[in-house]
Structure formats: C-alpha cells, structure tokens
Amino acid sequence: MNLPAAFVPGWLSLAATILMLLALGHAWRQAAHGERRRPTSPHLLGGLIVGLSLLWLMRASPIQGSSVQMLGAALALFLLDAPLAVLAMSLVAVLDAAFGGSPWALVPLNAALHGLLPVLLTGMLVTVFVVYRPQWVATFDDARYLRRRVALTDRIDR
C-alpha cells in the first residue's frame, strides 16, 4: 500500500490495530489447533513468507492494475489453511516495514487490507463456488488421475 502515514487518520490506525490484534489472536489459536491435526512444513511457510516479502518490496505487479498482495494472500490460503495464511501475510506486512517498504504506522492497516481481507474474501469465494458450482473447484486427486492413466495404458498394451 503506497499511502503516506500522514494521510491515514489516527482513528483508522487504531481501528486497524485493534482489528489485527483480535484477528491475530484468533488465528494463532486456530493455527495451533490446526497444526496438531495437519502439520505444515516450516519450509513451505518460511519460503512463502520470504517470497511474498520480496515481491512486496519490489512492488511487482504481474498484470496492469493487479496487486501481488492480493494474489499472495490467495496463494497463502491455498497452500496453508486460513489461520496460517493470516499469520503469514501479517508477518509479510511487518517485514515490508522492517525493510523500509512502508512506514511502521501502516503495518496494521497493510496487514488488514492486504492480508486479512484478501484471505477472508478468497475463502468466502471458494465456499460459494463449492456450494453452487462444485465442478469448478475440482481438486487434483492422485488416485483418480493414476487410475485413469493405468486404465488407458492397459487398453494401449492390449
């Protein structure tokens, strides 16, 4: 986000800080519970955070008008689960400020607008697709793919 900190009113910074503290507390509890059920590779989490931090610092935009922050949040959600994605995107916002990409005063607002909001919107969008158009959200299933592949090679061998 390329807003000067002087243009952000104090009440908005305070509201973003409170929102992010509540969201991070909830995400931390949910992530700890989720990690016991399905552990995530620390290499995946670390690599995602480093990669997105570098893209944020470069202010890369793959398509005119698109935002790497929004695409990164969707990628984080699909690679991790929602609580870890929120935590990862918040850490990316902190690293962006630490390396001079944005002022420290904007970290909560950046984390809310480029981390929390896109993760929530992507999650809601996927939920709507799963309910109303499940054929659009087909996941890759190794067993289904390999079964079809083996059947095809058996017919060719005969």
Side-chain angles (χ1 to χ4, degrees), residues 54-66:
L54 291 173
L55 287 174
W56 272 34
L57 286 171
M58 289 189 296
R59 303 289 183 237
S61 181
I63 301 169
Q64 183 66 24
S66 70

Side-chain angles (χ1 to χ4, degrees), residues 18-32 83 86-87 90:
I18 292 170
L19 173 70
M20 284 312 298
L21 287 176
L22 291 173
L24 289 175
H26 180 70
W28 184 266
R29 283 192 306 276
Q30 293 294 321
V86 169
L87 292 172
S90 298

Side-chain angles (χ1 to χ4, degrees), residues 39-97:
T40 301
S41 168
H43 302 293
L44 173 67
L45 182 61
L48 183 71
I49 290 170
V50 168
L52 289 176
S53 296
L54 291 173
L55 287 174
W56 272 34
L57 286 171
M58 289 189 296
R59 303 289 183 237
S61 181
I63 301 169
Q64 183 66 24
S66 70
S67 172
V68 165
Q69 290 90 344
M70 303 298 180
L71 296 173
L75 179 66
L77 178 65
F78 291 129
L79 289 177
L80 312 167
D81 54 352
L84 275 178
V86 169
L87 292 172
M89 294 305 290
S90 298
L91 188 55
V92 168
V94 169
L95 289 173
D96 185 46

Side-chain angles (χ1 to χ4, degrees), residues 3 8-9 20 27 35 38 45 48 54 67-68 71 73 86 88 91 97 100 104 106 114 128 135-136 140 149 152 158:
L3 285 177
V8 178
M20 284 312 298
E35 283 299 304
R38 185 181 58 106
L45 182 61
L48 183 71
L54 291 173
S67 172
V68 165
L71 296 173
V86 169
L91 188 55
W104 281 103
L106 293 180
H114 295 298
V128 168
Q135 67 273 19
W136 290 0
F140 182 77
R149 194 77 171 147
L152 180 64
R158 290 183 202 167

Side-chain angles (χ1 to χ4, degrees), residues 84-140:
L84 275 178
V86 169
L87 292 172
M89 294 305 290
S90 298
L91 188 55
V92 168
V94 169
L95 289 173
D96 185 46
F99 290 111
S102 65
W104 281 103
L106 293 180
V107 168
L109 192 59
N110 281 339
L113 291 178
H114 295 298
L116 180 63
L117 185 65
V119 167
L120 291 176
L121 290 177
T122 305
M124 287 190 299
L125 187 63
V126 168
T127 302
V128 168
F129 282 160
V130 165
V131 170
Y132 292 105
R133 296 284 188 252
Q135 67 273 19
W136 290 0
V137 190
T139 59
F140 182 77

